[in-house]
Amino acid sequence: PYTQTDAACVFERYVGDPVWRHYDALLDKSASRRDRELVVRFVTAIGNYDYLFDWSFGENGTLKVRFGASGMEEVQAVPAMQIGAEAASPKFGRMVAPRTVAVNHDHFFSFRLDMDVDGAQNSFVCDDIQTVTAKESPRTSFWSVESRTAKTEADAKMTLNIQQPALWRVINPHAKNFVGYPTSYEFKSHGNAVSLMRSDDFPQRRAGFTNYHLWVTPYQADERYAAGDYPNQSHGGSGLPAWTSQDRPIEDTDIVVWYTLGLHHVVRAEDWPV
């Protein structure tokens, strides 16, 4: 490890989209405001990959995290000059050049978010969106939102599921907005993945934080790394799986939210060489 100064850049930019827009049919007029954001960007090179992270602060109060990957693919040599000829395990990668196969792989990251919504006394709320059968109506169904507050760490292990949609929020139960709701920040996902490794595979044991898309823990100063302090030397189970096995209380206290972001990369020929 080493310290590198001046490693982040801060800039303002117009997004190119409206922060809001509306067409008024009575006046036959449109009104809109263009969006502008403040971006804090840093790039980290780890092995053959360069990872780019943008933390973007919007005028509408949103905080967006954008992630991108560049760099070089990891490849293996094969006898074949092109696809269709005899190649080594083509189902585990794709040819990107003669005698060159780029292997399938994953990228997973954990974001440690020390939330303080109007103060440190926070709770985690899951708003389940559920189908409700309609009665005494021409309609047969509609949907409603049922909120539940996580009491312990086990209650807050969350996995994205579009068949069972839910909103994930950190609230301050002691602060109210102008219509009486507890102030909160909502987490929105714009794409993710789940690990496809077996639970007994040693990379999966070491990266146990990928078991869930979201975890919540009570704040502890020494709990900083989702896979534990020494993942490359661990026997697995360190970090979030070990901490949350205590099933500590997380209601109305200082909490930390851990968000897991992942993607499966099936390499294209256009991804090579950079």
Side-chain angles (χ1 to χ4, degrees):
Y2 64 96
T3 299
Q4 179 173 325
T5 60
D6 302 325
C9 57
V10 180
F11 57 92
E12 187 179 279
R13 68 181 174 191
Y14 287 106
V15 178
D17 300 320
V19 69
W20 65 264
R21 182 192 186 279
H22 181 62
Y23 169 72
D24 191 319
L26 293 177
L27 300 178
D28 192 26
K29 292 177 63 176
S30 296
S32 66
R33 298 293 183 271
R34 59 181 179 176
D35 197 5
R36 184 174 59 184
E37 61 185 10
L38 180 69
V39 181
V40 180
R41 171 179 294 173
F42 71 93
V43 182
T44 179
I46 303 175
N48 55 305
Y49 261 93
D50 296 67
Y51 298 107
L52 298 88
F53 296 89
D54 280 1
W55 294 76
S56 302
F57 299 83
E59 291 183 304
N60 58 357
T62 59
L63 170 57
K64 296 180 181 178
V65 182
R66 296 184 179 93
F67 154 76
S70 189
M72 302 284 289
E73 303 296 343
E74 288 215 349
V75 297
Q76 67 180 55
V78 295
M81 291 293 291
Q82 63 182 19
I83 193 68
E86 185 178 352
S89 302
K91 66 180 179 180
F92 297 118
R94 278 181 173 169
M95 294 200 71
V96 292
R99 298 192 175 94
T100 306
V101 165
V103 296
N104 303 333
H105 58 280
D106 296 329
H107 302 268
F108 280 97
F109 297 87
S110 179
F111 291 84
R112 178 183 181 273
L113 305 172
D114 183 5
M115 302 297 296
D116 289 298
V117 178
D118 282 334
Q121 297 298 113
N122 290 171
S123 296
F124 178 78
V125 171
C126 180
D127 298 322
D128 295 310
I129 303 175
Q130 302 174 344
T131 301
V132 178
T133 300
K135 297 179 181 179
E136 300 178 359
S137 169
R139 293 281 303 275
T140 62
S141 63
F142 54 93
W143 58 262
S144 66
V145 178
E146 297 292 334
S147 298
R148 53 187 174 91
T149 301
K151 305 292 185 183
T152 67
E153 291 171 297
D155 298 333
K157 295 179 180 180
M158 300 292 169
T159 301
L160 292 166
N161 184 351
I162 61 174
Q163 299 296 331
Q164 297 176 339
L167 307 179
W168 298 338
R169 295 185 295 129
V170 171
I171 73 166
N172 186 323
H174 308 287
K176 301 289 192 280
N177 65 13
F178 70 101
V179 291
Y181 291 112
T183 55
S184 69
Y185 243 75
E186 180 185 338
F187 294 86
K188 289 186 177 181
S189 174
H190 296 280
N192 212 324
V194 296
S195 176
L196 301 177
M197 299 296 100
R198 287 169 48 103
S199 60
D200 60 351
D201 199 353
F202 79 89
Q204 183 60 35
R205 295 200 310 269
R206 288 177 170 174
F209 69 91
T210 63
N211 292 338
Y212 297 95
H213 289 124
L214 186 138
W215 312 64
V216 181
T217 61
Y219 173 82
Q220 295 290 332
D222 58 345
E223 295 181 0
R224 297 189 60 83
Y225 308 110
D229 292 338
Y230 307 103
N232 291 340
Q233 289 84 33
S234 80
H235 296 288
S238 300
L240 282 170
W243 303 332
T244 58
S245 66
Q246 305 169 73
D247 202 18
R248 297 166 293 186
I250 56 171
E251 185 179 13
D252 198 8
T253 188
D254 192 0
I255 59 176
V256 176
V257 176
W258 307 74
Y259 183 74
T260 306
L261 175 65
L263 62 93
H264 305 300
H265 191 177
V266 180
V267 184
R268 306 168 299 164
E270 292 81 2
D271 291 337
W272 179 260
V274 177

